[in-house]
């Protein structure tokens, strides 16, 4: 593919597993962020507070912003982003948690991301 035929768009997939060691600190930070956010109205703010207080995953989702991951990448601009978080049962020794499994191509060869 020549440069003229190459898409200018890149999809970046990131999967993270966080261990929450201090739920109060996490929730407190999310609530502080909500309090400082001048954008949402009172009804949306109340919904956000309720969600963060009930679910640590919601607190993480409120604190993590994909824009922060790419804001300083030279020559690139974030066009679209979506993210979600959920509480999960995590077993690092389980093959279900092999983060490289999406790198396997259909022919069984691993895609190392170098385009070769």
């Amino acid at each position: 593919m020549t440069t003229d035929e190459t898409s200018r768009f890149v999809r970046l997939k990131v999967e993270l597993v966080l261990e929450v060691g201090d739920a109060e600190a996490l929730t407190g930070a999310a609530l502080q962020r909500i309090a400082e956010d001048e954008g949402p109205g009172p009804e949306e703010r109340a919904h956000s507070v309720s969600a963060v207080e009930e679910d640590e995953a919601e607190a993480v989702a409120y604190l993590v912003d994909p824009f922060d991951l790419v804001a300083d990448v030279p020559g690139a601009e974030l066009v679209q982003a979506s993210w979600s978080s959920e509480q999960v049962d995590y077993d690092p020794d389980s093959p279900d948690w092999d983060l490289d499994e999406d790198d396997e191509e259909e022919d069984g060869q691993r895609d190392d991301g170098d385009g070769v």
Side-chain angles (χ1 to χ4, degrees):
M1 202 178 264
T2 67
T3 304
D4 292 338
E5 297 171 336
T6 304
S7 174
R8 298 178 333 165
F9 299 94
V10 174
R11 180 183 301 243
L12 174 65
K13 294 182 181 183
V14 178
E15 184 170 338
L16 304 169
V17 177
L18 303 177
E19 180 178 2
V20 177
D22 187 343
E24 287 183 23
L26 174 67
T27 301
L31 292 173
Q32 182 67 34
R33 174 82 53 92
I34 292 168
E36 293 171 353
D37 189 354
E38 297 175 5
E43 188 174 308
E44 186 178 341
R45 186 183 311 269
H47 174 74
S48 296
V49 166
S50 176
V52 163
E53 288 177 336
E54 292 176 18
D55 187 356
E56 294 166 1
E58 288 291 333
V60 170
Y62 205 90
L63 291 169
V64 174
D65 184 348
F67 178 77
D68 293 339
L69 296 173
V70 297
D72 294 329
V73 175
E77 179 181 342
L78 181 64
V79 176
Q80 180 180 3
S82 66
W83 67 104
S84 65
S85 61
E86 62 186 352
Q87 290 187 354
V88 296
D89 292 325
Y90 177 65
D91 177 4
D93 298 325
S94 169
D96 293 339
W97 287 97
D98 182 8
L99 295 181
D100 291 330
E101 72 183 31
D102 289 340
D103 292 340
E104 296 292 327
E105 295 180 359
E106 287 182 18
D107 62 3
Q109 293 194 2
R110 185 168 176 201
D111 177 7
D112 292 329
D114 61 4
V116 179

